[in-house]
Amino acid sequence: MNAMHRSLFVLLPLLVLSACGKESPAADASAWPSFEQAQAQPPAESPLPAACSLLSAEQASTVLGSEASLMTEEPEACMYGSSAGVGNITMLTLIVGDNEDLAMAQAVFNGIAGQPGNLAGTVNSRIGEKTKKSGQDLDALGDEAWLSAASFGASFGSHQVGAQQLVLRKGTRVLTLNVTGTDKLQGLAQRLETLARSAVAQL
């Protein structure tokens, strides 16, 4: 035992006694808290952020390409809408959720990643249009991320309607961004990715 250790060994009981009062007996060492147990406990996970805290009106307007207004604000869902005229509404939806474990989070991610193509197929089968869809993995965005696009055909309304969706998983949390009803597809994927990278940093 070196000099420093001896000093600490002597000072520790004195500090305990001074905190408890001179007349109080020193606490039994067996009653002291276990520092090893405290270190073994995993750090508490931060609370799930509210959906609309991850998406501002300015960000929604940038993604949609025109001024957007808040339509829905729920703890796990936030929706903004932008109108270019009667019957021409574009919507941006952000949904965030936590899952019980990693396996469930991966299952949710995989399920959501397949929705845009299925939706396009359902709509286009009713209006007689061929489904057009595509998708790609995005690197270094959470633990895994998938960007997909779908076109609902020129027969849907007065112009071609498109949708793009980005879903990502970070641990047990899954974030979904969806734009539906837009004909402003140029650069939309990049705008969604920029928004996703801003949001995932807060998960």
Side-chain angles (χ1 to χ4, degrees):
M1 181 181 294
N2 58 36
M4 181 177 291
H5 287 163
R6 283 197 299 270
S7 299
L8 291 175
F9 185 80
V10 172
L11 286 174
L12 185 58
L14 294 176
L15 292 173
V16 172
L17 284 174
S18 63
C20 298
K22 292 183 178 180
E23 297 181 359
S24 299
D28 184 3
S30 63
W32 293 359
S34 171
F35 295 105
E36 292 182 358
Q37 290 179 359
Q39 292 176 353
Q41 294 178 355
E45 189 176 53
S46 59
L48 185 71
C52 282
S53 72
L54 304 175
L55 175 60
S56 67
E58 181 179 0
Q59 289 173 314
S61 298
T62 298
V63 171
L64 296 178
S66 57
E67 185 176 356
S69 57
L70 184 62
M71 298 177 66
T72 300
E73 182 175 6
E74 299 291 342
E76 297 185 357
C78 187
M79 179 187 291
Y80 279 87
S82 176
S83 177
V86 178
N88 185 6
I89 299 177
T90 303
M91 293 173 291
L92 167 61
T93 305
L94 183 152
I95 299 174
V96 60
D98 206 350
N99 298 276
E100 293 181 0
D101 52 41
L102 187 58
M104 181 175 291
Q106 291 173 326
V108 170
F109 172 85
N110 292 332
I112 296 175
Q115 287 181 358
N118 295 335
L119 178 59
T122 301
V123 174
N124 288 328
S125 65
R126 294 187 179 184
I127 62 178
E129 293 284 347
K130 183 179 179 180
T131 299
K132 298 178 182 179
K133 57 184 178 180
S134 61
Q136 67 180 93
D137 287 307
L138 297 176
D139 296 328
L141 183 54
D143 294 317
E144 53 184 334
W146 177 256
L147 175 69
S148 56
S151 171
F152 299 139
S155 299
F156 193 84
S158 59
H159 63 283
Q160 185 176 19
V161 175
Q164 288 202 348
Q165 178 168 279
L166 191 159
V167 56
L168 67 88
R169 180 184 63 80
K170 182 178 180 182
T172 59
R173 295 179 174 182
V174 176
L175 172 73
T176 306
L177 294 169
N178 182 285
V179 174
T180 303
T182 184
D183 55 359
K184 299 178 181 179
L185 298 176
Q186 187 67 32
L188 178 57
Q190 290 76 17
R191 298 194 297 274
L192 272 179
E193 183 176 347
T194 298
L195 175 58
R197 292 190 183 280
S198 171
V200 74
Q202 303 175 61
L203 292 183

